[in-house]
Amino acid sequence: MCTDDEHGAEHGMGRRALLVTGAATALTLTTMSFAGAADSADGAQSTKTLKGTLPPGAPDFVYLPVEVPRGVREIKVSYTYTKATVPAGTQNNALDIGIFDERGTALGGKGFRGWSGGARTEFFIRADDATPGYIPGPVRAGTWHIALGPYTVAPDGLPYEVTVTLTHGEPGTTPKPVYPPQRARGRGRAWYRGDCHLHSWHSDGRRTPQEIGALARAAGLDFINTSDHNTHSSQAHWADVAGDDLLVMLGEEVTTRNGHVVALGVDPDTFVDWRYRARDNRWAKYADHIRRAGGLVVPAHPHATCVGCGWKFGFGEADVVEVWNGAYTPDDEISLADWDNTLVSYARSRGSGNGGGRAGGWLPAMGNSDAHRDPDRVGGPQTVVLADDLTRDAIQAGLKAGRSYVAEFASVEVSFTATGGKGKVAGLGERLRVDADTPVTVTLDVKGAPGCTLHIVTDQGTLFTSAPLPDSGAGSASWHTTPSYAAYVRAEVRHAPAVPGLPGALTAFTNPIFLGD
């Protein structure tokens, strides 16, 4: 084994370069070269280490070029960094990692080979296998790039160390990926339950795909969507999880520095790049990439309080928005109110192209668990969608049309309709087309929500609240209005308030029914 310690390679500006690349402004470090190790004996290893400190204000991505010679079977990378002592309220050091192969680091290019963020301290890539989060394939000769992502940097800088080990030998064979089918055995047109924001050990989750599948079935789900952070490596590991009773759609949680978005139901082997901010004006291109790959664009937890988690790109490219994320918290309540404002905007500007979603349309809502590890509950919450069948296309169509509601548990069932005129009826996501002064009856039926209250919400706010439901958890409510009084109606089912004067946590909520021509 040969070892070369490259100390101080980027202390000061002397041995580093600040470049404008396809991934916006990026810092490129001194190249780590293994040229002298070409044609080493089978099984021989070559190791090099780079140490340095990134300053506050470092670019979002720092690239370490690695010259890989011919005859390499495996590349292994490990890294460490130092946590600082910082005052209360000051962000400490956090450093993410990933890698691009000899095809380069261009945005949306072919060179991506994996990303683990801050979830792992080491990874390997071979032709026949790779660490979860990384893509198996040959380790070809050329300039690879280790991507470092200084998520936050303490005032005194971020000291780090990266070690690269190359193992020489024959490359082996890359297995052909097998992907889950795009349909399961459904019940025809019916209500299907799903969770479309889940994390496995291919990013920062702690569960295998098989464990997630078992939990999804136990939660009464009919469909799930894979959504590991900034990698599509898991997509080839769900075929044996899917079955006649469980549709597994493929996706990614595109995790930028200005918010996260779920690519929901994309074609197999689809990778969506994340190396941009709202100010870079690149988001529309990648939203279009998701849709061209057959997916839906779903901004996630738009008012989450973690660094970089709040959604800053606007909703003009969104197909659906994730309003409820995991256990119900104040940021979900803010997301719910913000989403309701988009409905008001759509009702006010209908026909002018200034609605809340794409092409001026209204923006449907959904809810997902964002489950990572125990005790995160898969299916908590879950989106219940009226779809023509249990297929990718049918589920996506139902979500995009807003024919859905969100429930805390599989035991919670909601029916919400509006009737008026000569026998006209509208359900979730639909419009009851009657004149402005036509009497309209809104009916809400709920099961599985003991002690909860029923609420009917319009563009004016909450206009009806029921008494708490009995221990059976079942109850109904009717409310009368006209389209001139209520532009839309939607339903909420809430627990008793934990704090007097504040709303209780949601048990369920529906997409709206619009009223009037």
Side-chain angles (χ1 to χ4, degrees):
M1 176 185 292
C2 63
T3 300
D4 183 6
D5 220 5
E6 300 186 2
H7 291 279
E10 34 61 70
H11 287 290
M13 292 296 293
R15 298 186 64 190
R16 63 183 182 181
L18 190 65
L19 304 177
V20 177
T21 71
T25 303
L27 182 67
T28 300
L29 305 175
T30 302
T31 298
M32 180 183 286
S33 178
F34 288 84
D39 299 321
S40 294
D42 187 46
Q45 291 186 324
S46 306
T47 297
K48 290 180 180 288
T49 296
L50 175 77
K51 296 180 181 180
T53 300
L54 296 174
D60 288 349
F61 301 100
V62 176
Y63 295 98
L64 168 59
V66 179
E67 288 293 342
V68 176
R70 62 183 179 272
V72 172
R73 180 176 69 208
E74 178 185 283
I75 182 169
K76 180 180 178 180
V77 179
S78 62
Y79 82 118
T80 61
Y81 65 92
T82 303
K83 290 283 190 179
T85 300
V86 297
T90 300
Q91 295 292 334
N92 209 328
N93 289 324
L95 184 63
D96 295 341
I97 196 166
I99 195 167
F100 293 78
D101 66 18
E102 84 289 348
R103 290 171 290 184
T105 63
L107 267 175
K110 300 292 186 182
F112 177 76
R113 292 296 292 272
W115 181 259
S116 48
R120 298 181 184 278
T121 59
E122 63 181 30
F123 63 85
F124 74 89
I125 296 174
R126 296 196 306 265
D128 63 330
D129 198 6
T131 300
Y134 294 81
I135 313 300
V139 182
R140 293 178 290 263
T143 303
W144 289 51
H145 287 84
I146 296 169
L148 300 175
Y151 191 64
T152 51
V153 179
D156 292 335
L158 193 162
Y160 71 92
E161 179 177 313
V162 179
T163 298
V164 179
T165 298
L166 304 182
T167 301
H168 303 266
E170 293 299 317
T173 302
T174 302
K176 183 178 180 180
V178 178
Y179 301 104
Q182 295 183 7
R183 64 170 50 246
R185 182 182 297 163
R187 305 181 297 277
R189 187 173 177 84
W191 292 95
Y192 296 99
R193 295 175 177 266
D195 188 349
C196 294
H197 188 167
L198 296 161
H199 294 279
S200 76
W201 66 350
H202 284 264
S203 58
D204 59 344
R206 292 293 180 268
R207 294 164 173 158
T208 66
Q210 291 72 23
E211 289 169 335
I212 293 171
L215 291 170
R217 288 179 167 94
L221 302 184
D222 302 295
F223 64 91
I224 58 175
N225 178 74
T226 73
S227 56
D228 281 306
H229 292 284
N230 293 348
T231 183
H232 60 305
S233 68
S234 80
Q235 293 181 4
H237 297 272
W238 291 91
D240 62 347
V241 176
D244 288 345
D245 62 333
L246 185 65
L247 172 69
V248 178
M249 297 184 289
L250 303 178
E252 176 187 334
E253 184 173 10
V254 184
T255 305
T256 79
R257 297 299 178 89
N258 284 162
H260 303 181
V261 60
V262 172
L264 195 163
V266 296
D267 294 334
D269 198 32
T270 295
F271 166 66
V272 186
D273 214 319
W274 73 95
R275 294 170 294 155
Y276 43 83
R277 295 194 187 202
R279 67 192 180 202
D280 298 325
N281 294 318
R282 291 188 171 105
W283 164 234
K285 173 182 176 181
Y286 290 97
D288 183 62
H289 174 56
I290 293 170
R291 285 190 288 270
R292 284 188 287 108
L296 298 183
V297 175
V298 185
H301 45 66
H303 288 278
T305 57
C306 49
V307 174
C309 296
W311 185 247
K312 306 297 185 183
F313 293 88
F315 296 103
E317 295 291 339
D319 296 304
V320 186
V321 61
E322 183 188 78
V323 167
W324 183 355
N325 175 276
Y328 199 75
T329 54
D331 62 280
D332 296 307
E333 188 70 28
I334 295 171
S335 294
L336 181 70
D338 195 31
W339 168 68
D340 189 77
N341 287 341
T342 71
L343 302 179
V344 174
S345 177
Y346 171 73
R348 182 180 66 244
S349 60
R350 182 171 171 245
S352 68
N354 294 318
R358 289 191 63 217
W362 73 278
L363 182 61
M366 70 182 306
N368 301 298
S369 73
D370 198 1
H372 286 69
R373 60 188 69 81
D374 293 339
D376 298 351
R377 183 168 60 84
V378 173
Q382 54 197 253
T383 299
V384 190
V385 57
L386 179 61
D388 290 335
D389 207 345
L390 189 51
T391 68
R392 178 182 77 161
D393 290 347
I395 295 296
Q396 288 177 324
L399 291 171
K400 195 173 180 180
R403 298 193 304 265
S404 61
Y405 65 91
V406 179
E408 187 177 14
F409 296 99
S411 57
V412 178
E413 298 180 18
V414 177
S415 173
F416 191 56
T417 58
T419 60
K422 296 182 179 180
K424 293 184 177 180
V425 181
L428 300 180
E430 297 177 340
R431 177 174 289 277
L432 183 66
R433 297 188 179 278
V434 295
D435 293 337
D437 59 352
T438 300
V440 172
T441 299
V442 178
T443 303
L444 173 60
D445 295 301
V446 174
K447 296 178 181 178
C452 295
T453 50
L454 312 184
H455 306 260
I456 294 175
V457 185
T458 77
D459 52 310
Q460 297 184 67
T462 301
L463 296 182
F464 173 86
T465 299
S466 76
L469 295 181
D471 291 344
S472 67
S476 300
S478 292
W479 185 69
H480 302 282
T481 188
T482 63
S484 63
Y485 188 70
Y488 62 85
V489 290
R490 61 180 186 84
E492 295 177 357
V493 184
R494 289 184 178 266
H495 292 284
V499 179
L502 295 180
L506 284 176
T507 300
F509 79 93
T510 73
N511 273 297
I513 302 171
F514 293 96
L515 305 180
D517 286 324

